[in-house]
Amino acid sequence: GAGVSQSPSNKVTEKGKDVELRCDPISGHTALYWYRQSLGQGLEFLIYFQGNSAPDKSGLPSDRFSAERTGESVSTLTIQRTQQEDSAVYLCASSSGQGTNYGYTFGSGTRLTVV
Amino acid sequence: GQSLEQPSEVTAVEGAIVQINCTYQTSGFYGLSWYQQHDGGAPTFLSYNALDGLEETGRFSSFLSRSDSYGYLLLQELQMKDSASYFCALLNYGQNFVFGPGTRLSVLP
């Protein structure tokens, strides 16, 4: 597609429920990243995919968080047993990562609210 | 680890020039980037400095000095639409960006 697409755009869930967030990167972008941003804060790195592999999972805050990528395309971020502190905007970005084009293209994010 | 520092807020008037500074601590990195984010919007890529010196892109310029662990974003001929948050970010050897806390720029008429 023309840009990075994320769904849903908004998600309200009850504490303790599982949620799944989806990211469709720009076609041909081999690198895909998940970040989260709390209100008025900076971007916190969660996980990075190169192709379908995740060489760096160091940012996942707990074992309730997991992510996968298939077909070097779509990625899903799953949060199990959601807690109120999981409330944030979850941003996905993709990059071709080739040459000097290191810029990320971000999606519009999924705003997750845990009540 | 890596850490970046930026001023939390900067205010300037329309038509002026403003500089947003970024200092960092790191054991190594590939380059420094800048991103713009309007309220409620996604961050958008502005610039990337792999080498020391100044990179110019229209009204925006970005500077990096590895010896001083310092960079800045320079915005010229400020416009109201430049009111946004600006983030510096280091591209680390793990091939992901580590972002600073962000600087909120307010442009006044």
Side-chain angles (χ1 to χ4, degrees):
Chain A
V4 177
S5 177
Q6 292 187 246
S7 61
S9 55
N10 279 285
K11 177 72 176 179
V12 180
T13 189
E14 292 182 353
K15 179 181 172 181
K17 295 287 180 82
D18 298 351
V19 295
E20 200 171 88
L21 312 180
R22 177 186 170 106
C23 173
D24 283 272
I26 292 174
S27 179
H29 277 193
T30 56
L32 184 148
Y33 308 82
W34 284 97
Y35 287 80
R36 74 176 176 181
Q37 186 174 32
S38 300
L39 188 63
Q41 302 298 310
L43 282 75
E44 176 189 2
F45 171 74
L46 297 178
I47 190 169
Y48 150 58
F49 288 93
Q50 181 60 46
N52 293 332
S53 300
D56 189 352
K57 302 180 182 179
S58 63
L60 294 177
S62 77
D63 58 9
R64 296 187 294 107
F65 288 71
S66 63
E68 65 173 15
R69 188 181 186 194
T70 56
E72 297 194 358
S73 179
V74 172
S75 176
T76 54
L77 176 69
T78 301
I79 310 173
Q80 295 179 308
R81 306 181 302 282
T82 52
Q83 303 294 313
Q84 288 187 329
E85 61 262 29
D86 299 334
S87 296
V89 176
Y90 289 81
L91 292 161
C92 174
S94 69
S95 169
S96 64
Q98 296 179 4
T100 58
N101 181 19
Y102 289 108
Y104 290 1
T105 301
F106 280 90
S108 298
T110 294
R111 182 176 298 276
L112 176 66
T113 304
V114 182
V115 297
Chain B
Q2 297 171 308
S3 65
L4 300 95
E5 291 188 6
Q6 305 177 234
S8 57
E9 293 183 5
V10 172
T11 301
V13 296
E14 206 172 5
I17 298 173
V18 72
Q19 179 173 310
I20 300 175
N21 297 321
C22 173
T23 56
Y24 58 83
Q25 290 187 324
T26 180
S27 56
F29 68 108
Y30 285 124
L32 183 72
S33 239
W34 288 90
Y35 286 79
Q36 178 192 62
Q37 186 179 33
H38 287 98
D39 285 347
T44 57
F45 172 75
L46 293 177
S47 67
Y48 177 74
N49 290 66
L51 305 174
D52 281 8
L54 193 68
E55 295 278 346
E56 298 180 63
T57 308
R59 296 188 296 114
F60 293 2
S61 302
S62 58
F63 174 83
L64 173 64
S65 168
R66 288 175 181 264
S67 60
D68 295 321
S69 296
Y70 164 73
Y72 66 73
L73 179 70
L74 190 74
L75 298 85
Q76 302 183 68
E77 301 172 19
L78 279 175
Q79 302 176 9
M80 299 297 290
K81 67 179 182 180
D82 297 329
S83 292
S85 292
Y86 292 84
F87 296 88
C88 58
L90 289 176
L91 181 63
N92 65 22
Y93 291 151
Q95 295 286 338
N96 63 272
F97 279 109
V98 176
F99 284 79
T103 297
R104 187 171 186 87
L105 171 65
S106 298
V107 180
L108 305 177

